[in-house]
Amino acid sequence: MNSWIDTIVMGLKETYDSNDIYTLYDYLNIQIVKLESRNILLHGNEAFYNRNFLDREMVFIRNDLDLNIEKFILAHELGHALLHTKALQSAFNKNLTNIGKLEKQANYFAFKLFDIELNPIELDGFSLNQISSYTGLPCEILKIFY
């Protein structure tokens, strides 16, 4: 189902010999801009990707996030940058774009980039909070998968 995303992630890791999110942003020349959480550019979100902000690709992200969450969110936004090159041009027109599907794909990309495997047998009986503690990821992200 998401094998095309697996292929992109594998190619990215092989090309740059890294899955470090900051290294990948540098190689891909995408600028990370940290903003106060109440900054109007964030529209109440943790982050967002913009393909052409002052002729540059940028990710705007809150400056008060836990490092593990920041890394995952940056990977998620990188997923949008690499997977949704045409869809994001019309992302604000919800009639033309399946926003939920794009978000799930970007999350899947982030999981694959960091080699996060959630084995349902291993985690059987765990609460969402316990899985969150185990993976270092926030419950909001894990809810998409459970």
Side-chain angles (χ1 to χ4, degrees):
M1 175 168 86
N2 289 316
S3 60
W4 65 281
I5 299 174
D6 295 343
T7 302
I8 290 170
V9 170
M10 186 173 50
L12 186 65
K13 288 178 180 181
E14 287 177 3
T15 300
Y16 299 109
D17 195 30
S18 178
N19 73 338
D20 177 76
I21 196 63
Y22 303 104
T23 300
L24 294 173
Y25 269 73
D26 285 342
Y27 279 132
L28 297 170
N29 199 28
I30 301 173
Q31 186 175 350
I32 300 168
V33 178
K34 294 188 178 187
L35 301 171
E36 294 288 325
S37 61
R38 65 183 180 280
N39 190 296
I40 194 165
L41 287 174
L42 291 172
H43 301 286
N45 298 310
E46 281 84 16
F48 81 95
Y49 166 73
N50 190 299
R51 184 169 307 285
N52 187 12
F53 188 86
L54 303 174
D55 293 325
R56 291 203 46 145
E57 284 186 86
M58 294 186 177
V59 169
F60 297 92
I61 188 166
R62 285 179 32 191
N63 65 357
D64 60 352
L65 297 171
D66 172 82
L67 184 60
N68 287 334
I69 295 171
E70 177 180 294
K71 287 179 180 181
F72 187 87
I73 290 172
L74 287 171
H76 171 98
E77 296 302 328
L78 184 60
H80 284 307
L82 298 176
L83 305 176
H84 306 135
T85 56
K86 292 190 175 36
L88 286 180
Q89 294 171 359
S90 61
F92 292 107
N93 185 343
K94 294 182 183 190
N95 294 329
L96 298 176
T97 306
N98 183 342
I99 300 299
K101 179 180 177 183
L102 300 181
E103 292 303 310
K104 286 180 181 178
Q105 289 174 345
N107 280 336
Y108 180 83
F109 175 93
F111 271 77
K112 284 299 189 178
L113 182 65
F114 293 137
D115 298 315
I116 298 172
E117 295 288 333
L118 299 178
N119 183 331
I121 295 170
E122 227 177 78
L123 300 174
D124 186 41
F126 280 49
S127 71
L128 203 54
N129 285 333
Q130 289 170 323
I131 296 171
S132 176
S133 293
Y134 175 76
T135 62
L137 297 172
C139 289
E140 296 77 37
I141 292 169
L142 294 170
K143 283 179 188 175
I144 293 170
F145 296 95
Y146 283 93

